[in-house]
């Protein structure tokens, strides 16, 4: 009888609790350790600590875990300022002081970029920072109605879980938006079908609060009026289908100001805007300073959105071409240029990750380029940017890993990294945005 050898399946570590000695931290301020032949990434753990952590992922070369008990704490560890910090998934770094958060984030990103690019040192500039409380002007509030217990939970998703953590307040949410928790807890149980409302998108535009309710079944006019009466200062909208939004009151156009540039930008409630108004203003002002725009410059603004950078650039440049992939935002960009009396803005729609079309804007006519891509970075676009041979490129990034990849291409294409700085757009989280200026050799 032939016996065929079969290797025994390896025992998975998934769900087990192990003890780790944390040696260092990565660019997201996760603790790094070793377990047998694998690298371990441990959230909630700091360099120098010994912790017990539950295994969430077990892959061939690495494992991911989350801290459940600190056996030997770091001197950097502090008591979280928010009493929801241990369970809410919104803020990951409240066990650190705000300065320690910023230091560790920048140190991890510095190591990541140097490793990817081969640079021995980075020309760091002062980080852009602001208040770490009440800074969010937009948030998605989760809603869960337990039919058996007839109880509603309003808050954010639990760390590492889909369950909603019921909260009464959020320390990083703008004070203008604070009533949302009380209002939803009060009104949702009064609906005919409380489970029909699944989440709320809250937005501060200027000094006006907007609330968009996502509901899977129609809400009657009387039910809509319950929400309006509970918070009459807010503008209420309904989203019965994804991206199909209806005002429950007379339309009010959301907008925000770039006060230093005296610009008003209008936008749709579901359009992208930066989450932190104060730091957005600082980024725009720094972009103008770093690019040193003059009246002869022809500037290309990629991933232009509604014109957040475009309009400010146009105030100083000869011409600015704003390229954006979403057609509705391209139309809004053109409208915003007109509203602000800027006739030197040219708006185009294009998928920048695909091969660029042969068109009037895809020509080597630019002295300077600004790009502000999404988390995927400028994959596909970065190669095409270098073919235009602009003298200066300003890269605004919301993902350090994809920035490092794109920066490597710029360096290999004859550009030098002149300046880089962190932007602490999301205080108390592992996220750090970047601004980097490259010049052609």
């Amino acid at each position: 009888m032939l016996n065929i050898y079969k290797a025994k399946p390896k025992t998975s570590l998934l769900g087990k609790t192990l003890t780790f000695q944390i040696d260092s931290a990565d660019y997201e301020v996760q603790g790094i350790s070793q377990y047998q032949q694998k690298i371990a990434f441990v959230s909630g753990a700091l360099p120098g600590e010994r912790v017990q952590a539950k295994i969430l992922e077990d892959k061939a070369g690495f494992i991911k875990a989350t801290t459940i008990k600190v056996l030997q704490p770091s001197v950097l560890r502090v008591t979280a300022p928010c009493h929801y910090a241990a369970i809410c998934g919104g803020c990951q770094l409240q066990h650190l002081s705000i300065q320690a958060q910023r230091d560790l984030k920048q140190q991890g990103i510095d190591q990541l970029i140097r490793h990817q690019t081969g640079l021995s040192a980075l020309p760091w500039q002062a980080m852009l920072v602001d208040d770490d409380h009440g800074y969010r002007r937009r948030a998605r509030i989760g809603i869960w109605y337990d039919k058996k217990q007839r109880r509603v939970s309003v808050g954010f998703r639990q760390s590492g879980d889909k369950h909603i953590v019921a909260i009464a307040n959020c320390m990083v949410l703008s004070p203008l938006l604070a009533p949302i928790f009380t209002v939803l807890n009060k009104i949702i149980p009064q609906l005919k079908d409380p489970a029909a409302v699944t989440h709320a998108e809250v937005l501060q535009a200027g000094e006006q609060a907007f609330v968009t309710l996502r509901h899977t079944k129609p809400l009657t006019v009387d039910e809509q009026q319950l929400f309006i009466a509970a918070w009459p200062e807010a503008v209420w909208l309904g989203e019965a289908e994804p991206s199909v939004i209806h005002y429950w009151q007379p339309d009010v156009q959301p907008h925000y100001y770039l006060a230093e540039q005296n610009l008003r930008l209008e936008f749709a409630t579901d359009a992208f805007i930066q989450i932190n108004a104060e730091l957005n203003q600082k980024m725009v002002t720094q972009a103008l300073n770093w690019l040193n725009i003059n009246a002869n410059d022809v500037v290309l603004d990629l991933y232009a959105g509604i014109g957040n950078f475009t309009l400010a650039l146009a105030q100083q440049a000869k011409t600015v071409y704003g390229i954006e992939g979403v057609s509705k935002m391209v139309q809004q960009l053109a409208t915003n240029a007109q509203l602000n009396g800027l006739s030197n803005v040219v708006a185009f729609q294009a998928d920048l990750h695909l091969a660029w079309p042969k068109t009037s804007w895809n020509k080597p006519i630019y002295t300077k380029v600004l790009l502000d891509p999404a988390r995927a970075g400028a994959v596909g676009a970065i190669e095409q940017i270098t073919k235009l041979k602009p003298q200066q490129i300003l890269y605004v990034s919301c993902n350090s890993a994809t920035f490092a990849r794109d920066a490597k291409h710029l360096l290999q294409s004859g550009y030098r990294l002149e300046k880089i700085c962190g932007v602490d757009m999301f205080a108390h989280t592992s996220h750090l945005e970047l601004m980097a200026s490259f010049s052609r050799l």
Side-chain angles (χ1 to χ4, degrees), residues 108-378:
I109 289 170
D110 177 85
Q111 185 177 20
L112 170 72
I113 296 172
R114 287 190 294 106
H115 175 74
Q116 291 291 329
T117 62
L119 292 172
S120 59
L122 303 183
W124 287 103
Q125 310 297 303
M127 188 180 294
L128 297 185
V129 300
D130 208 82
D131 196 343
D132 63 311
H133 285 57
Y135 65 81
R136 287 193 70 112
R137 61 175 168 179
R138 173 173 250 157
R140 182 186 175 105
I141 311 295
I143 302 167
W144 173 256
Y145 184 74
D146 189 321
K147 295 181 180 179
K148 291 183 179 179
Q149 299 187 32
R150 297 185 179 181
R151 184 177 63 190
V152 64
S153 296
V154 177
F156 300 107
R157 293 197 184 280
Q158 186 174 338
S159 179
D161 205 321
K162 294 182 179 181
H163 291 95
I164 300 297
V165 177
I167 67 172
N169 55 72
C170 174
M171 61 170 272
V172 299
L173 191 64
S174 165
L176 184 74
L177 303 175
I180 187 62
F181 302 105
T182 300
V183 171
L184 293 178
N185 275 302
K186 176 184 176 182
I187 302 302
I188 288 177
Q190 300 181 41
L191 304 179
K192 181 180 179 181
D193 183 2
V197 180
T198 59
H199 67 259
E201 183 93 14
V202 289
L203 164 71
Q204 177 176 342
E207 295 304 315
Q208 180 64 62
F210 290 78
V211 184
T212 303
L213 288 186
R214 174 75 174 100
H215 51 96
T216 57
K217 295 180 181 179
L219 299 179
T220 67
V221 173
D222 288 342
E223 288 176 320
Q224 295 173 15
Q225 287 301 316
L226 289 174
F227 289 102
I228 295 170
W231 191 8
E233 295 82 8
V235 176
W236 290 86
L237 305 92
E239 186 181 14
E241 302 174 39
S243 300
V244 180
I245 297 172
H246 298 283
Y247 279 79
W248 294 351
Q249 300 147 278
D251 289 10
V252 178
Q253 178 63 57
H255 66 275
Y256 66 87
Y257 287 98
L258 291 172
E260 293 183 22
Q261 288 73 38
N262 193 28
L263 291 168
R264 172 186 165 118
L265 287 92
E266 296 184 352
F267 60 97
T269 55
D270 59 344
F272 171 80
I273 63 169
Q274 293 288 359
I275 209 80
N276 188 318
E278 297 300 322
L279 279 174
N280 181 61
Q281 174 67 78
K282 291 182 179 183
M283 283 203 310
V284 171
T285 299
Q286 180 158 281
L288 295 175
N289 291 336
W290 281 13
L291 284 170
N292 191 25
I293 303 295
N294 63 60
N296 295 317
D297 280 322
V298 179
V299 183
L300 179 63
D301 182 12
L302 301 173
Y303 312 93
I306 63 169
N308 187 57
F309 289 103
T310 319
L311 304 188
L313 294 167
Q315 289 180 320
Q316 301 180 12
K318 178 181 179 181
T319 309
V320 179
Y321 289 76
I323 318 299
E324 166 59 42
V326 181
S327 58
K328 287 198 305 183
M329 297 182 79
V330 176
Q331 295 168 12
Q332 190 64 64
L333 166 58
T335 298
N336 283 333
Q338 185 177 14
L339 286 173
N340 288 278
L342 296 167
S343 59
N344 60 336
V345 173
V346 186
F348 283 95
Q349 190 275 330
D351 187 335
L352 293 167
H353 300 298
L354 301 177
W356 291 2
K358 293 182 179 179
T359 185
S360 59
W361 64 265
N362 184 16
K363 294 179 180 179
I365 58 175
Y366 305 105
T367 52
K368 295 162 185 177
V369 171
L370 184 148
L371 66 154
D372 183 11
R375 290 189 61 80

Side-chain angles (χ1 to χ4, degrees), residues 34-40 60-62:
Q34 291 282 335
Y35 182 78
Q36 296 177 350
Q37 302 300 315
K38 297 182 180 182
I39 188 169
F62 68 91

Side-chain angles (χ1 to χ4, degrees), residues 45-104:
L46 300 174
E49 291 188 330
R50 192 163 64 91
V51 302
Q52 289 182 339
K54 182 179 179 181
I55 307 302
L56 304 179
E57 289 186 45
D58 182 10
K59 303 297 183 182
F62 68 91
I63 54 179
K64 288 188 176 182
T66 185
T67 299
I68 58 175
K69 186 177 183 180
V70 178
L71 303 174
Q72 181 182 332
S74 164
V75 295
L76 295 176
R77 184 171 288 274
V78 299
T79 301
C82 174
H83 61 275
Y84 299 110
I87 52 175
C88 178
C91 297
Q92 304 91 36
L93 298 183
Q94 289 198 13
H95 54 286
L96 287 162
S97 70
I98 189 63
Q99 188 57 53
Q101 292 176 31
R102 291 164 177 165
D103 291 343
L104 286 178

